[in-house]
Amino acid sequence: MTVRVPAKVNVQLSVGPLREDGYHDLVNVFHAVSIFDEVVAKESDSITVQVDGKWSDQVPVDDSNLAIRAARALAKHAGRTYGADLVIQKDIPVAGGMAGGSADAAGALVACNELWGLGLPIEDLMEIAGDLGSDVPFSLIGGTAVGTGRGEQLSELPTGGTFHWVFALANGGLSTASVYAECDRLRQAAGAEVPWPQLNDSLMEALGTGDAYALGRNLSNDLQAAALNLRPELAPTLDAGGQHGALGAIVSGSGPTCAFLAIDATHARDLAQSLTATGAAHTAVAAHGPVQGAVLV
């Protein structure tokens, strides 16, 4: 069974105060884009994982791998002992703020649900996904959606067209936990009260009407300052995108991938070429969204 699952960019990521349980309440607007991993599940007596393609040397293949954890959680939910050899063809950056690990977990859930003939509905898979991580449920459904709570409580958002993006891929990753910790540190140092996160109405309208110019003006990420503090070299990359005509530039999620909104597909290709030609990014990939979540192919 082969499942294709997309990367994501956060067009709004508003982070509330630190909670007693160590998490933050979020308003997290996810947008699935056309950079994909593929997860293949084959019959086996045990659950294993192999990773091929880009970034494969950066992905653990032990019990910490999120796809293995997803398969085991699914088997436990079904109350049976199952096996699967999982093969991940990696194209989504690792620790890049694009939910690559979460995408693989979602792919494993869909692939194993089919391989094992469980026939579980999407509601069951979403429940299991929410226990695995805040981004995993969105990787199942794709499209555009707002996540609240830790980000796992999803409401799908209507999108009035296709948006075109360029992603500048950085060398090395950033730990999500480290970026959140830095965000908390910066806020504590500033001494300002952290507001409760609110959905940006102007961003909602831009998504609904398909207005790329308005969406570019309303991109926001409360983790960006922390990511830039940990990786200062990202700031010139973001600036370069604006200099080459990007409608908006933002760190994707916890970074270090930088996302640039383009006018159309042609502009996206030109922007990607300009970023690499000038050395602002060593790799820049054009993509579009929204796209479907985890799907059998």
Side-chain angles (χ1 to χ4, degrees), residues 86-136:
L86 302 172
V87 180
I88 299 171
Q89 187 66 36
K90 200 85 188 123
D91 211 31
I92 303 173
V94 176
M98 300 189 75
S102 297
D104 297 339
L109 288 175
V110 173
C112 290
N113 187 42
E114 190 73 17
L115 178 71
W116 298 336
L118 300 179
L120 293 176
I122 186 64
E123 292 80 9
D124 285 24
L125 299 183
M126 291 285 283
E127 181 181 344
I128 298 167
D131 290 336
L132 291 166
S134 300
D135 291 348
V136 183

Side-chain angles (χ1 to χ4, degrees), residues 176-267:
T176 299
S178 297
V179 176
Y180 271 98
E182 181 68 4
C183 176
D184 292 334
R185 189 192 69 79
L186 290 174
R187 286 173 164 181
Q188 186 175 19
E193 183 176 350
V194 179
W196 194 262
Q198 300 290 330
L199 186 59
N200 182 334
D201 290 337
S202 296
L203 179 131
M204 287 271 288
E205 182 178 356
L207 288 169
T209 60
D211 187 339
Y213 289 87
L215 180 60
R217 291 193 297 271
N218 284 283
L219 297 175
S220 65
N221 181 1
D222 284 354
L223 295 180
Q224 182 161 306
L228 292 178
N229 223 38
L230 295 172
R231 295 284 292 273
E233 69 273 18
L234 299 180
T237 302
L238 290 173
D239 291 342
Q243 293 165 11
H244 291 290
L247 302 181
I250 195 171
V251 171
S252 179
S254 56
T257 302
C258 294
F260 305 94
L261 186 59
I263 299 168
D264 52 28
T266 300
H267 181 217

